[in-house]
Each structure stands twice: as structure tokens, then as C-alpha cells.
Amino acid sequence: MDLTIHNTFLPHDDPDASLAFYRDTLGFEVRNDVGQGTMRWITVGPKGQPGTSIVLHPPAVDPGITEDERRTISEMMAKGTYGIIVLATKDLDSAFERLQTGDAEVVQEPTDQPYGIRDCAFRDPAGNMVRINEIR
């Protein structure tokens, strides 16, 4: 079996703030932007990697989700415990510096972890945890 990761989904509660973060701060290209107002699905991805994308989507719009579940999702997003993505770079310090100039909410500065990786962490405008591992 030959599988690749094509899309992953992260919720947003402010499509314009999320778009600015992923496009302007992280430098991802915008591949699609459909819908209107807060009901927008925005596809972004790293330049030169057309087969890998992140879809930023309005949370809890599935008709099968109950009001209690919608409330729980909103609460988890507010705490930053709902969505997570791990990115990787060869130059973690430069990436971290760029994120700081973009006013990203820093959760963890670049750190050598006891389990063998060096990484940092921050939150996107919707509260999603974004970790960046250093490729060694």
C-alpha cells in the first residue's frame, strides 16, 4: 500500500485571521477559499508540496453534531485543546524568530526534548496547537 497524507483539517473561528496566520506568518500558499463570512473552507499548504494541504474549516457544522457537542468543541478551541498539527523545518530558530515577529502566541520556545527532538510550540488564531520539530 502506498499512502500519503493529502489533507488535514483544523477548525477556525475567524477565517480572515487564520488565513493571515497561515499565509502571511507561516508562508503557506492559498489553494482554495470557498464559502463566505465565517462559513469558509480555506485550503493552504507549503509551497512546492502540492500534495499536502491543511483545510481550515468552520467547526461543528456537521448536521449530526448536537448543541452540547458544539458547545464542547467551542470550549476546547478556547482552551487550545481541540486541534493540533506538527510541522517540521531544518532551521527551527529562524522559524521561531519569524513566528515571534508575526505575533503568534508562543507556548514553548525552542527546546531540546528528553525524547530526542528539538521543537517549539505556539497557537494559531483559533487556539489550535502548532508544534514545529527541527529536522536533524
Side-chain angles (χ1 to χ4, degrees), residues 25-26 87-100 109-112 118-122 131-136:
T25 303
L26 290 181
L87 307 173
T89 184
K90 291 180 181 178
D91 189 352
L92 184 63
D93 294 320
S94 291
F96 184 77
E97 191 173 305
R98 179 177 173 166
L99 289 163
Q100 285 187 301
E109 294 187 6
T111 302
D112 289 313
R118 183 167 187 262
D119 70 349
C120 68
F122 55 94
R131 299 193 74 84
I132 301 178
N133 293 349
E134 186 171 64
I135 299 171
R136 296 182 178 183

